[in-house]
């Protein structure tokens, strides 16, 4: 903790520069081509190898231009009135007047959420169906603007086909859940928590989890993947053929990520854990902040629009805050007993994550959950049991009744917390400037506490 953070995290500068470039190109009227300038800057950077400080500054400019080039090279949006091939890549959800589906346009690679007016034909839509859209539209598709057929599936890339196949397997697993006797609410939570399908969640159930601060367990994230990673690590025997066990673990992690539809939070977690596994095989030290920065850069290289996804922002801010504040909490709260260490870990992770995401939650959702600490003491152990239980249900379907009972108890517990006085502070709608100032305060808290932690370590 003695060195400045930039010495520990060499990828922090490039990651911040790339993010800045994406922001600049998204919100500025710049039209001049960026790629030629990027090529020139890379050549100039290589020529300054004898001057490390100058080369470091130029390297950050390079990544700034990389971020700008990523936005500029994105394919233009599809014309609302052009005919397009499409493939259904989500479970169709029946609404009062429409059928909600996610459509992949293979030619452009764009994924669109569309609402097709409900009739006998739209009710029969299934995952993987190929469609011809006469008009893509802005959201709603009338019964006259689409038909079955087309060559959309053959136009899909190999990765897109693999992703669709995993979604079909997810559909089969969801059918197994549906065959288990359980209430609709228990099924909805189980499907969201283990397979990433939130289509069955009611507005009341979402509100209960939101008020109590438990929404993160419904959106698959690093918590879920970390639990699976620990289970797979525990199943490896000794360190013989350690590299082989890590390869198998990485493949299982990405298989689960594909099975859940590759949400941004899962991609981030899978990327970080994959890099962690590779470094473990090489016997090198793991700098978690470097892994986080590298994961962000990989995701943004694949899709710069992910930067503006709410789930992406919440996921990265939560992990960043945990990586920064949890070591400080461990310095100020030293314990030796395993039970106290578990309590410290639960409190530390909950408080640190809340510091990172509270401003964003207030900005996007207008609320702050006051009992988040109590909620996490309940949901994190239960989520662990549910994930392990879900793996058991795949092998032994008869255990689904017990798993449904656990989910039912979790829903009742959170419903009780949601009814407690002052369970959440509502109508918080800070401006962008106020959110930035909140994070400035959080950064100042970190800098002050890190100095105090350094002083404490030196005195000890």
């Amino acid at each position: 903790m003695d060195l400045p953070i930039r010495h520990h995290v060499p990828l922090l500068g490039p990651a911040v520069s790339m993010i800045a470039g994406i922001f600049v190109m998204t919100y500025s009227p710049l039209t001049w081509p960026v790629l030629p300038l990027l090529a020139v800057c890379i050549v100039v950077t290589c020529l300054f190898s004898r001057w490390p400080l100058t080369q470091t500054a130029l390297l950050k400019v390079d990544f700034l231009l990389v971020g700008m080039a990523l936005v500029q090279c994105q394919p233009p949006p599809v014309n609302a009135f052009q005919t397009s091939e499409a493939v259904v890549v989500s479970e169709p959800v029946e609404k009062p007047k429409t059928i909600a589906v996610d459509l992949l346009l293979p030619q452009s690679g764009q994924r669109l959420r569309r609402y097709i007016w409900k009739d006998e034909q739209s009710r029969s839509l299934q995952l993987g169906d190929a469609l011809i859209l006469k008009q893509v539209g802005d959201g709603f598709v009338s019964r006259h603007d689409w038909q079955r057929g087309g060559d959309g599936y053959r136009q899909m890339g190999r990765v897109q086909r693999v992703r669709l196949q995993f979604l079909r397997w997810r559909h089969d697993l969801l059918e197994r859940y549906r065959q288990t006797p359980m209430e609709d609410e228990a099924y909805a939570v189980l499907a969201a928590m283990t397979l990433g399908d939130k289509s069955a969640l009611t507005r009341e159930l979402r509100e209960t989890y939101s008020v109590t601060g438990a929404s993160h367990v419904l959106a698959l994230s690093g918590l879920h993947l970390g639990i699976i990673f620990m289970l797979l690590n525990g199943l490896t025997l000794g360190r013989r053929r350690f590299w082989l066990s890590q390869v198998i673990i990485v493949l299982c992690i990405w298989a689960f990520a594909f099975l859940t539809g590759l949400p941004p939070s899962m991609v981030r977690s899978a990327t970080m854990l994959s890099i962690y596994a590779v470094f473990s095989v090489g016997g090198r030290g793991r700098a978690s902040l470097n892994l986080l920065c590298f994961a962000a850069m990989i995701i943004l290289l694949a899709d710069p629009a992910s930067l503006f996804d709410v789930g992406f922002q919440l996921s990265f801010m939560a992990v960043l805050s945990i990586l920064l504040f949890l070591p400080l909490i461990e310095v100020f709260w030293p314990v030796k007993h395993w039970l106290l260490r578990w309590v410290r870990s639960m409190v530390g992770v909950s408080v640190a994550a809340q510091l990172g995401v509270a401003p964003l939650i207030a900005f996007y959702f207008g609320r702050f959950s006051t009992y988040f600490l109590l909620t996490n003491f309940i949901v994190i152990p239960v989520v662990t049991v549910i994930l392990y239980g879900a793996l058991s249900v795949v092998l032994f379907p008869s255990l689904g009744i017990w798993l449904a009972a656990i989910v039912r108890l979790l829903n009742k517990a959170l419903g009780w917390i949601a009814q407690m006085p002052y369970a959440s502070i509502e109508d918080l709608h800070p401006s962008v400037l106020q959110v930035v100032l909140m994070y400035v305060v959080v950064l100042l808290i970190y800098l002050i506490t890190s100095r105090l932690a350094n002083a404490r370590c030196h005195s000890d």
Side-chain angles (χ1 to χ4, degrees), residues 60-79:
K60 293 179 181 178
V61 175
D62 292 340
F63 278 96
L64 175 73
L65 294 174
V66 166
M68 297 173 67
L70 288 173
V71 177
Q72 195 173 69
C73 294
Q74 288 296 296
V78 177
N79 190 319

Side-chain angles (χ1 to χ4, degrees), residues 353-430:
Q354 199 67 24
L355 282 172
V357 302
L360 286 176
I361 291 177
F363 179 76
Y364 287 113
F365 306 108
R367 69 163 35 122
F368 175 78
S369 302
T370 55
Y371 300 127
F372 69 90
L373 193 57
L374 173 61
T375 297
N376 284 334
F377 267 96
I378 295 174
V379 299
I380 292 179
V382 174
V383 168
T384 304
V385 174
I386 290 174
L387 284 176
Y388 291 169
L391 296 175
S392 303
V393 169
V394 173
L395 301 175
F396 308 102
S398 59
L399 297 177
I401 298 176
W402 297 102
L403 188 60
I406 296 173
V407 177
R408 192 183 310 118
L409 289 175
L410 175 62
N411 289 342
K412 289 183 178 179
L414 294 180
W416 173 72
I417 295 176
Q419 297 300 321
M420 293 173 63
Y422 307 106
S424 66
I425 302 173
E426 302 292 336
D427 296 326
L428 300 174
H429 296 288

